[in-house]
Amino acid sequence: MSGDIKRGTAEMTAAMLISGTIGWFVVMSGQPVSGVVFWRCLFGALTLLVICGALGLLRPGILTLRAFAIAVLGGIAIVVNWLLLFASYSHATISIATTVYNTQPFMLLALGALFLGEKITAAKLFWLTLAFAGMMAIVQAKPGGSGDTFESYGLGILMALGAAFFYALAALAAKWLKGTPPHLIALIQVATGMLMLAPMTDFSQPPQDAGSWAILVSIGVVHTGLMYVLLYGAIQRLPTHLTGALSFLYPIAAILVDRLAFGHALQPMQIAGAAIILLAAAGMNLGWTPRWLRPRALQG
């Protein structure tokens, strides 16, 4: 294994494990969702500002006005994605919300076909259908907690699906920004979120203790700034199939954190649905083609 592959694997693993713990930090912050996202954007922006400055990405001429506008639109989408995802935790648990959120490759598939003219192959359609079956299994499952209601559970699933859709919109914007430094895109995104959420953030009731502030700073610095650096570093070093494979550490880590920290165990139908969705997403990300869908010349 080459040095780049080793380093990229370590960076991607760290990035996904960090992402898998964010649900715990969001819940333990005790802040309203809009407040959590605002502080994430603020501390993330400060971190990325330093990183972009160190990389020489703040000099004039790097970004065109068109690229800046697309980055801002992507920032709006990514912030709405965070708002919906974090809000879904209190309705459908971190495990279920994160698993449903991993339908994002299929959202991007549809958007790519609609706006970029990308072809939807028979294999992709198969994985999409399989993911839908997994989604139906999760929807039909009963909520795990005694205080939960099916309506609240369903709302959480819808929020996670909405989060996946807006993430796909942000990813689509990133496709249009190919060649633009990714750390600069991330800085514009979190700065956009900070301006979006400032009017609706209650500054009269900030966190009251050092522990709460430490959680919010971690979400901004570690889960945003550091995670972006690790993720983009890994993407630059790893082949696409390895990046896609390692990305599944994120939902696995989230499920383990949810179980260990909050005691949320998945029901049998939820486990089956989650496994089907993750299998479908793996097939989609890694470009698997079921044997019966391959051209005859390639079989055997």
Side-chain angles (χ1 to χ4, degrees):
M1 186 183 288
S2 71
D4 267 359
I5 297 293
K6 285 182 180 178
R7 181 173 174 180
T9 299
E11 289 173 334
M12 189 69 184
T13 300
M16 293 301 96
L17 292 179
I18 289 171
S19 296
T21 64
I22 194 169
W24 181 89
F25 282 81
V26 169
V27 172
M28 297 306 294
S29 72
Q31 293 291 300
V33 169
S34 59
V36 173
V37 178
F38 171 80
W39 293 112
R40 178 182 194 177
C41 289
L42 175 62
F43 292 123
L46 293 174
T47 305
L48 288 164
L49 188 65
V50 173
I51 292 170
C52 288
L55 294 175
L57 301 177
L58 300 180
R59 63 183 186 275
I62 288 185
L63 212 59
T64 65
L65 185 60
R66 176 181 177 275
F68 177 77
I70 293 174
V72 168
L73 291 174
I76 294 171
I78 204 73
V79 169
V80 175
N81 148 71
W82 288 339
L83 289 170
L84 288 171
L85 180 61
F86 294 170
S88 71
Y89 293 158
S90 61
H91 295 281
T93 76
I94 294 170
S95 300
I96 292 299
T98 304
T99 301
V100 171
Y101 181 62
N102 270 270
T103 57
Q104 53 194 253
F106 304 102
M107 307 284 187
L108 187 57
L109 171 67
L111 291 173
L114 189 61
F115 293 105
L116 302 177
E118 295 179 351
K119 184 180 178 182
I120 298 180
T121 64
K124 290 178 179 178
L125 192 59
F126 168 77
W127 296 121
L128 176 60
T129 304
L130 193 64
F132 182 76
M135 180 67 57
M136 287 299 98
I138 286 177
V139 169
Q140 293 300 318
K142 293 181 179 179
S146 58
D148 296 333
T149 65
F150 189 79
E151 290 76 14
S152 177
Y153 178 71
L155 178 60
I157 290 174
L158 287 175
M159 285 179 168
L161 282 172
F165 174 74
F166 279 98
Y167 179 89
L169 286 178
L172 186 66
K175 281 178 173 283
W176 281 328
L177 291 171
K178 189 174 182 180
T180 304
H183 301 92
L184 190 56
I185 296 172
L187 174 60
I188 294 170
Q189 288 178 338
V190 291
T192 299
M194 190 173 59
L195 295 175
M196 278 175 59
L197 296 173
M200 61 183 77
T201 301
D202 186 2
F203 296 106
S204 65
Q205 294 184 335
Q208 299 299 310
D209 56 83
S212 297
W213 277 115
I215 287 174
L216 293 174
V217 170
S218 174
I219 291 173
V221 175
V222 178
H223 293 86
T224 306
L226 177 61
M227 196 277 290
Y228 267 116
V229 172
L230 291 170
L231 179 63
Y232 290 143
I235 288 172
Q236 290 172 353
R237 293 181 175 88
L238 295 177
T240 302
H241 73 275
L242 193 50
T243 302
L246 290 171
S247 69
F248 289 95
L249 289 173
Y250 166 41
I252 292 170
I255 290 170
L256 289 175
V257 167
D258 198 23
R259 181 71 179 95
L260 295 174
F262 302 110
H264 291 155
L266 295 178
Q267 306 302 310
M269 187 69 80
Q270 292 172 326
I271 293 173
I276 291 170
I277 288 175
L278 294 180
L279 173 63
M284 180 78 171
N285 280 339
L286 303 180
W288 295 341
T289 301
R291 187 178 182 86
W292 64 87
L293 292 177
R294 297 175 190 169
R296 288 184 177 275
L298 297 179
Q299 295 185 19

